[in-house]
């Protein structure tokens, strides 16, 4: 078995999780505390990757990233970068694809905190910034962990989008899920099985670890 | 009907009833390789008009269809893009008779970019960033494309530009949307109604790659199967003079 597709999968998942954490924090904060009426609309848009078939997302991204269309042409012109068939393209796609998996748990975690927590911090003269990082976030460790893991696992499980825009390039866009697909296509069931088993075991171990940690966090707080 | 559990039970029974009483599919189901889908529309029209038998066309890559057939998918005839996959099915007992070649495919180099001439020598130029071909491990047109590149001594030079579609259909998508600057596809694709007159293409020297012989196979039916006769009828039609003329019109050569 060639480990390359597996390494690529975990590289993609790690990068996506890292980027999304930075992207999702302000969004989750805004969704949790904003009084803005149109908030629901934003929430619905963020949730779209949950319900859209990955092929829809993949198809639109293929058109968006293609140099023959406005956005892709502009990027190629200005940055000399073609996102379709490239690893950075997969990262961009995964960030969109896994967005709700990062935003929703964080938002729920923040909303579950008692309002008095924020108010007390403000009363003691702390800025919103300090309050967020020193008071609010440390109190939703469990939600953060859930968000990180769900995003990571969801990206590991990504298939349709990658198949549409990846181009199956070994070492660049050929992630494990696509490698499995290829092996099945070539009637190499044993090889497909090896990849599948590794993915199965690793993802299960990750999830198990998280539930254990989450359980311990909860026990500690309720004590 | 007051209790919800009673209501749910009634609904479930009703649904099960619906599922059980739905009519079995009496259409002949034809599993069709991606490159054959355009000519298949034409063949379907002609066959349905002449025989009165309706067809259901299922389009996918030959590899996927083969996997599905081996797992018991309810297909009647398999029209493959190569000879290897139907042979595999025959060897494993999925058919009574060996596959027969119905047509030979032609490989073309195609581009939608007006600044690029579809020519092998152009592939090394800086303006060509991505070259699409079908996965050579599973798709015969992909294998042929690699052979052509190696024959021309270009394979090493352009290797880093290659992107792989999972079938000729996806490869076509990459070229048609301009995501890839240029690519290798089937002549049947560029002659199809959907793609006719879009971009420019060149047929490649057919001596530079092994023949893309495409075979079909009549899948096993039980003696009592109501579709046995109709499936045989369609299978025979594939090799008739009429069908051969249609294949030729769509860019295939027939013996």
């Amino acid at each position: 078995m060639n480990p390359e597709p597996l390494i690529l999968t975990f590289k993609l998942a790690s990068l996506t999780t890292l980027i999304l954490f930075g992207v999702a924090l302000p969004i989750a904060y805004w969704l949790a505390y904003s009084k803005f009426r149109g908030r629901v609309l934003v929430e619905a848009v963020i949730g779209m990757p949950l319900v859209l078939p990955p092929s829809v997302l993949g198809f639109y991204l293929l058109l968006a990233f293609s140099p023959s269309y406005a956005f892709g042409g502009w990027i190629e012109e200005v940055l000399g970068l073609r996102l379709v068939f490239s690893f950075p393209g997969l990262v961009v796609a995964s960030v969109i694809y896994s967005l709700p998996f990062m935003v929703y748990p964080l938002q729920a975690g923040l909303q579950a905190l008692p309002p008095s927590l924020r108010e007390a911090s403000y009363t003691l003269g702390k800025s919103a910034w300090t309050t967020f990082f020193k008071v609010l976030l440390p109190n939703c460790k469990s939600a953060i962990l859930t968000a990180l893991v769900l995003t990571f696992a969801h990206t590991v499980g990504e298939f349709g989008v990658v198949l549409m825009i990846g181009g199956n390039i070994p070492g660049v866009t050929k992630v494990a899920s696509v490698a499995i697909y290829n092996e099945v296509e070539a009637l190499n069931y044993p090889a497909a099985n090896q990849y599948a088993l590794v993915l199965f075991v690793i993802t299960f171990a990750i999830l198990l670890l998280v539930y254990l940690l989450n359980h311990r966090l909860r026990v500690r707080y309720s004590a | 009907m007051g209790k919800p559990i009673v209501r749910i039970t009634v609904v479930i029974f009703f649904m099960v009833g619906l599922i059980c009483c739905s009519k079995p599919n009496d259409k002949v189901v034809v599993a069709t390789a991606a490159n054959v889908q355009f000519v298949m529309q034409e063949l379907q029209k002609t066959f349905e008009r002449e025989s009165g038998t309706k067809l259901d066309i299922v389009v996918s890559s030959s590899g996927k269809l083969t996997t599905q057939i081996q797992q018991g998918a309810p297909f009647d005839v398999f029209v493959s893009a190569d000879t290897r996959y139907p042979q595999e099915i025959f060897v494993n007992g999925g058919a009574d008779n060996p596959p027969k070649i119905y047509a030979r495919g032609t490989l073309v180099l195609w581009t939608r970019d007006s600044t690029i001439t579809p020519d092998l020598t152009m592939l090394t130029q800086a303006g060509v960033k991505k070259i699409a071909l079908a996965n050579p491990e599973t798709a015969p047109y992909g294998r042929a494309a690699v052979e052509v590149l190696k024959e021309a001594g270009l394979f090493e030079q352009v290797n880093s530009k290659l992107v792989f579609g999972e079938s000729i259909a996806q490869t076509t998508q990459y070229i048609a949307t301009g995501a890839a600057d240029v690519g290798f596809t089937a002549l049947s694709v560029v002659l199809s109604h959907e793609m006719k007159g879009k971009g420019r293409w060149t047929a490649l020297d057919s001596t530079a790659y092994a023949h893309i012989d495409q075979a079909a196979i009549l899948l096993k039916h039980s003696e009592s199967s109501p579709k046995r006769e109709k499936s045989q009828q369609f299978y025979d039609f594939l090799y008739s003079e009429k069908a051969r003329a249609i294949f030729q019109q769509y860019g295939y050569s027939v013996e």
Side-chain angles (χ1 to χ4, degrees):
Chain A
M1 183 179 65
N2 177 3
E4 205 172 47
L6 288 161
I7 294 166
L8 202 59
T9 286
F10 291 112
K11 198 171 114 186
L12 178 66
S14 312
L15 254 173
T16 302
T17 307
L18 206 70
I19 293 169
L20 258 182
F21 188 60
V23 170
L25 271 183
I27 299 176
Y29 182 84
W30 183 80
L31 284 176
Y33 300 118
S34 159
K35 302 271 183 287
F36 177 59
R37 279 256 176 103
R39 212 191 61 190
V40 182
L41 197 67
V42 178
E43 245 175 318
V45 168
I46 287 170
M48 284 306 278
L50 282 172
V51 290
L52 273 185
S55 50
V56 173
L57 196 59
F59 174 63
Y60 283 136
L61 285 174
L62 181 68
L63 296 187
F65 291 170
S66 165
S68 308
Y69 292 80
F71 176 74
W74 177 79
I75 281 201
E76 185 138 339
E77 200 101 321
V78 177
L79 305 173
L81 185 72
R82 190 179 296 190
L83 285 174
V84 68
F85 315 127
S86 73
F87 187 74
L90 292 193
V91 175
V92 173
S94 306
V95 163
I96 297 168
Y97 175 71
S98 293
L99 185 66
F101 288 81
M102 186 65 91
V103 172
Y104 286 164
L106 289 177
Q107 183 193 346
L110 289 170
Q111 279 171 333
L113 296 174
S116 55
L117 213 57
R118 231 171 20 132
E119 287 154 10
S121 174
Y122 286 167
T123 318
L124 294 167
K126 297 291 175 212
S127 68
W129 193 260
T130 312
T131 302
F132 181 62
F133 283 102
K134 294 272 159 81
V135 179
L136 301 180
L137 277 189
N139 277 301
C140 37
K141 281 201 186 86
S142 175
I144 292 172
L145 187 65
T146 305
L148 291 177
V149 170
L150 279 181
T151 304
F152 187 89
H154 189 240
T155 311
V156 167
E158 196 173 5
F159 171 68
V161 178
V162 179
L163 192 73
M164 293 286 269
I165 64 163
N168 211 346
I169 306 164
V172 181
T173 58
K174 189 177 175 176
V175 299
S177 59
V178 176
I180 292 170
Y181 180 81
N182 285 334
E183 299 297 0
V184 172
E185 189 100 339
L187 312 181
N188 286 338
Y189 299 157
N193 195 16
Q194 279 177 334
Y195 284 125
L197 202 65
V198 171
L199 274 191
F200 188 94
V201 169
I202 292 180
T203 44
F204 182 75
I206 292 172
L207 287 178
L208 193 67
L209 191 72
V210 169
Y211 287 125
L212 279 172
L213 277 171
N214 249 340
H215 184 74
R216 286 185 47 191
L217 281 172
R218 262 199 302 275
V219 169
R220 198 179 338 149
Y221 280 114
S222 59
Chain B
M1 287 296 283
K3 289 187 180 148
I5 187 85
V6 174
R7 242 180 303 176
I8 289 168
T9 313
V10 169
V11 167
I12 288 175
F13 268 102
F14 183 68
M15 278 163 66
V16 168
L18 272 184
I19 293 162
C20 296
C21 301
S22 62
K23 231 171 55 164
N25 186 357
D26 60 351
K27 291 180 182 172
V28 171
V29 185
V30 183
T32 305
N35 81 77
V36 191
Q37 62 182 314
F38 305 106
V39 65
M40 189 53 79
Q41 291 165 0
E42 192 74 32
L43 291 166
Q44 181 181 12
K45 265 195 288 213
T46 309
F47 178 74
E48 287 184 349
R49 200 176 48 232
E50 290 190 356
S51 69
T53 299
K54 289 265 176 276
L55 301 178
D56 255 345
I57 309 294
V58 176
V59 179
S60 190
S61 65
S62 304
K64 229 183 342 280
L65 292 168
T66 301
T67 302
Q68 289 166 357
I69 288 163
Q70 297 195 326
Q71 302 308 325
F75 302 149
D76 300 304
V77 176
F78 172 36
V79 182
S80 179
D82 70 347
T83 52
R84 200 170 54 100
Y85 283 118
Q87 186 62 31
E88 182 85 16
I89 290 166
F90 172 65
V91 167
N92 288 321
D96 293 324
N97 296 307
K100 279 196 301 187
I101 293 168
Y102 61 88
R104 180 172 289 172
T106 303
L107 187 70
V108 300
L109 189 63
W110 179 39
T111 180
R112 296 288 307 273
D113 189 333
S114 55
T115 62
I116 297 172
T117 320
D119 182 80
L120 280 178
T121 53
M122 290 285 294
L123 298 180
T124 51
Q125 297 193 352
V128 176
K129 289 204 177 82
K130 296 289 175 195
I131 304 161
L133 59 152
N135 183 345
E137 280 163 33
T138 52
Y141 285 90
R143 255 199 310 279
V146 171
E147 285 169 26
V148 166
L149 288 171
K150 284 185 170 158
E151 177 77 18
L154 295 167
F155 187 74
E156 296 307 323
Q157 289 178 66
V158 299
N159 200 354
S160 59
K161 298 182 179 183
L162 301 181
V163 299
F164 304 95
E166 54 110 11
S167 71
I168 210 68
Q170 198 186 24
T171 312
T172 299
Q173 195 185 94
Y174 286 161
I175 309 165
T177 55
D181 306 291
V182 59
F184 294 89
T185 186
L187 179 58
S188 57
V189 168
V190 293
L191 292 182
S192 69
H193 292 299
E194 286 81 355
M195 293 298 157
K196 218 170 197 154
K198 292 188 173 159
R200 285 166 309 141
W201 55 269
T202 332
L204 294 153
D205 174 12
S206 64
T207 59
Y209 56 92
H211 292 314
I212 305 171
D213 283 334
Q214 306 194 179
I217 192 161
L218 178 64
L219 300 167
K220 214 181 206 121
H221 289 73
S222 63
E223 288 293 337
S224 60
S225 166
K227 289 203 281 186
R228 193 185 166 93
E229 205 172 312
K230 288 175 176 174
S231 306
Q232 178 75 52
Q233 201 185 1
F234 175 71
Y235 187 68
D236 293 340
F237 167 77
L238 279 180
Y239 300 91
S240 66
E241 277 310 316
K242 215 163 226 154
R244 287 156 70 96
I246 295 172
F247 275 120
Q248 278 178 312
Q249 201 186 315
Y250 275 78
Y252 295 91
S253 44
V254 286
E255 290 289 288

